[in-house]
Each structure stands twice: as C-alpha cells, then as structure tokens.
C-alpha cells in the first residue's frame, strides 16, 4: 500500500480491514451481544468528558512510560487478550507480540490463542501476560499457570464475565464456528466438542469467589480480574487477593445494555482505594480516550478489536502502526493539556461535559 493510502486513524484501519476480511470474520470481531448497545456506548461515552487545556507548562519532553503491576511499559496502551489472531493474519499472535514488543508494551495472550504459550515466548523479547477463565479443569489451570511462569509471563488475567455464553446475532446469522485454542489439551474434559461461538471455553458457570482465591493461591504471578463493572466486585476482587482489575464489559460482547466501561471507571477506582491497580478496556480508538481513562484513574488501558484491524491490514507492521497512531494522539493530547508525564494526568485534566 502506498504511503498516502495508509489509514491515518483507527477508524480507517477498521474500514480497510473490513474490505480485506471475509464477512463472517469481520462480523465476529466487530460484533457484540444482541443489539450491540454496549459496543456503541463504550465508544460514545468518551465524549461525555472534555479536556481542560493548560498552557506554559514546558511540554518539550513528553514521557508516556508508566508501570503496570510493577513492570515498565513505554506507553499506557496494552494488547487485550483476544482469541485467534490468525483469523486476521496468518502470522497471528506472533505478529501481534512482535509489534507489542517493538512498541515497548505488553500483550495479554488469550486462552483461545492460536499459538502455544511456549512458541510465543520465544518470538520476541517483550512482556507477556496470560488470560484464562475459572475453568472446571483445575489440573489444566495448574498446568497453564506453571507454563506461564516457566516461560517468563509476567501476570495472569482471569476473565470473569464469560461464565455463560452470550447471544451474538451476527454469528448466528453467519453460522460462525470458532476453532479451538492451541493451548488446550487434545483430550480430556476441557478439550470439548465445538462450542457455540463466544461461549466461555470451559469457563465454569458454577464458579464463585473461591475459584479466584484458588487461582491466586496456585500462582506466584500477579493476578488481574477481567470483566469487572461494579465497585462491589472490585472490593471482592481485592478481598480475594487480586492484584488488579480490568474494568471491562468484554467490548460489549457478553452482556448488552451495560453502562460504558469509562462510565463505571470512577466507581471502580474509588472501590479499589489505591490497594489494587485498575485498568480499562472497551472502545479505545483515540489517544484522547486513553488520556481521559487515565485522568479518571486507570493505570493503563487495553485495545481489543484494533489489533485485528492492524493485523488484517499489515500483519506485524499493521499492529505497530495502530499502536504508533495511538501514541502520536496521546502525545498531542498530553502536550495540549500541559501534562508531560502520565503521572501528571490527574482528575483536573478533564471535566464532565454539561448538556447543552
Ligand atoms: C475478545 N475479548 C476476549 N477477552 C478475553 O478475556 N478472552 C478472549 O479470548 C477474548 N477474545 C476476544 C476476541 C475478539 C475477536 C474480540 C474483539 C475480543 C475481549 C477483549 O479482551 C476486550 O475486552 C475487548 O475487545 C475490548 O474492547 P475493544 O477494544 O475491542 O472495543
């Protein structure tokens, strides 16, 4: 693609990816539960906050680096755990990880990744986290926790919002079938038959807080609970020993008609009381969204769908471009708000937009 034809923002990346991907794959990635109200709200809610620009604050040097669970990243945008990167590019997770590593950020590897934890760990010298569910199969969970530790992964994400399969109407219409992740055993309870697209991949519908406590006790790695949307659940995560939470509604892919993630962020941050780190995902498409989330107390954010748009358009280089576009937009926003460091992005950077 000639340089002039390069997408110049993440929306154009999605448009280009839509042209390139088979319809059913595009729909699987872009879609959400039932009426996709939460998908849309995640995105639109960022407009409920506006910046309070500040001037004459020496923004000649900007530092976008921060720490996540004690490890340094070059920018506060991480790669969300998303199943099956090969649906967008044959290099799949290897390409995404190399891109994340070259941009200095972390990638969370989905339970449903197309690539083994071991092969990924060898592909670059970056930072990997692994995502799992509260599986029925405790022996497999233990095995994954050990494999993650042995291969240098830095944290465990436990996704808690997927205990019951969602209704995704695009997938029903397209008769979409997911393939199984590469890390499941080839036989045994968890290696079950094809599941409805979007089901919890062995996530135990009977799971309770005891299962999160069990995972925390079974690993020395930090544990981050994903799919948290209320202050009550943030407190329970902290009580269960979690080191962090990801405020997430799974990109609107599980329960529809929730508030946007950015709308519940303040409630989550208040409930965390500074004891655990609070992250956010859902609808992040602009650098401005990242800065707003940080101003509301997020330690960092994750992107999901945009990584697939990057992969579809240009493999590893496409994902690099997606991350660099966000970086450039974060820089512009930080400079114009007079906030040269991530730590300087506080609540006074933004204001709730009054209705006109
Ligand atoms: C996901 N997501 C997800 N989450 C998770 O915990 N485990 C998984 O395997 C997947 N798989 C997955 C596949 C695809 C195609 C998408 C789009 C998403 C959810 C993901 O981690 C994240 O919560 C959302 O994608 C964030 O919203 P945005 O950035 O896509 O708007």
């Amino acid at each position: 693609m000639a340089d002039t034809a390069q997408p110049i923002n993440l929306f154009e990346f999605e448009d280009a990816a839509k042209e390139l991907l088979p319809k059913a794959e595009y729909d699987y990635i872009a879609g959400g539960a039932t009426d996709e109200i939460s998908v849309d709200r995640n995105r639109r809610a960022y407009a409920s906050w506006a910046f309070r620009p500040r001037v004459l604050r020496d923004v000649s040097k900007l530092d976008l680096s921060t720490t996540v669970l004690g490890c340094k990243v070059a920018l506060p945008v991480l790669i969300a755990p998303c199943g099956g990167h090969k649906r967008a590019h044959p290099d799949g997770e290897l390409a995404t990880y190399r891109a994340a590593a070259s941009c200095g950020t972390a990638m969370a590897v989905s339970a449903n990744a197309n690539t083994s934890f071991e092969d990924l760990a060898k592909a670059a010298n970056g930072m990997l986290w692994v995502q799992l569910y509260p599986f029925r199969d405790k022996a497999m969970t233990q095995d994954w926790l050990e494999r993650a530790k042995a291969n240098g992964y830095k944290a465990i994400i436990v996704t808690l919002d997927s205990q019951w399969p969602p209704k995704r109407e695009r997938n029903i219409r397209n008769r979409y079938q997911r393939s199984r992740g590469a890390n499941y055993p080839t036989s045994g309870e968890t290696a079950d038959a094809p599941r409805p697209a979007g089901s919890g991949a062995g996530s135990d519908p009977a799971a309770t807080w005891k299962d999160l406590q069990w995972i925390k006790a079974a690993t020395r790695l930090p544990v981050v609970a994903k799919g948290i949307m209320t202050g009550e659940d943030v407190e329970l995560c902290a009580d269960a020993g979690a080191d962090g939470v990801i405020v997430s509604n799974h990109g609107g892919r599980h329960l529809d008609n929730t508030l946007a993630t950015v709308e519940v962020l303040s409630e989550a941050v208040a409930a965390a009381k500074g004891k655990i780190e609070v992250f956010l995902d859902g609808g992040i498409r602009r650098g401005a969204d990242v800065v707003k989330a940080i101003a509301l107390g997020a330690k960092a954010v994750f992107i999901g769908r945009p990584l697939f748009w990057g992969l579809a358009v240009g493999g590893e280089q496409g994902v690099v471009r997606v991350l660099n576009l966000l970086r450039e937009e974060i820089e512009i926003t930080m400079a114009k708000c007079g906030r040269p460091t991530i730590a300087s992005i506080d609540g006074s950077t933004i204001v709730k937009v009054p209705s006109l």
Side-chain angles (χ1 to χ4, degrees), residues 81-83 110 131 133 159 226 248 250 253 281-283 285 304-305:
C82 292
S110 161
Q131 175 258 323
Y133 299 97
T159 296
K226 175 171 183 280
S248 171
H250 218 108
R253 297 166 69 81
D281 74 22
R285 302 292 181 267
R305 293 177 182 89

Side-chain angles (χ1 to χ4, degrees), residues 194-227:
R195 297 172 303 276
S199 79
S203 186
D204 183 358
T208 67
W209 292 100
K210 286 205 178 77
D211 294 83
L212 186 60
Q213 285 164 2
W214 183 87
I215 290 169
K216 176 64 190 171
T219 179
R220 297 213 312 279
L221 291 173
V223 170
V224 178
K226 175 171 183 280

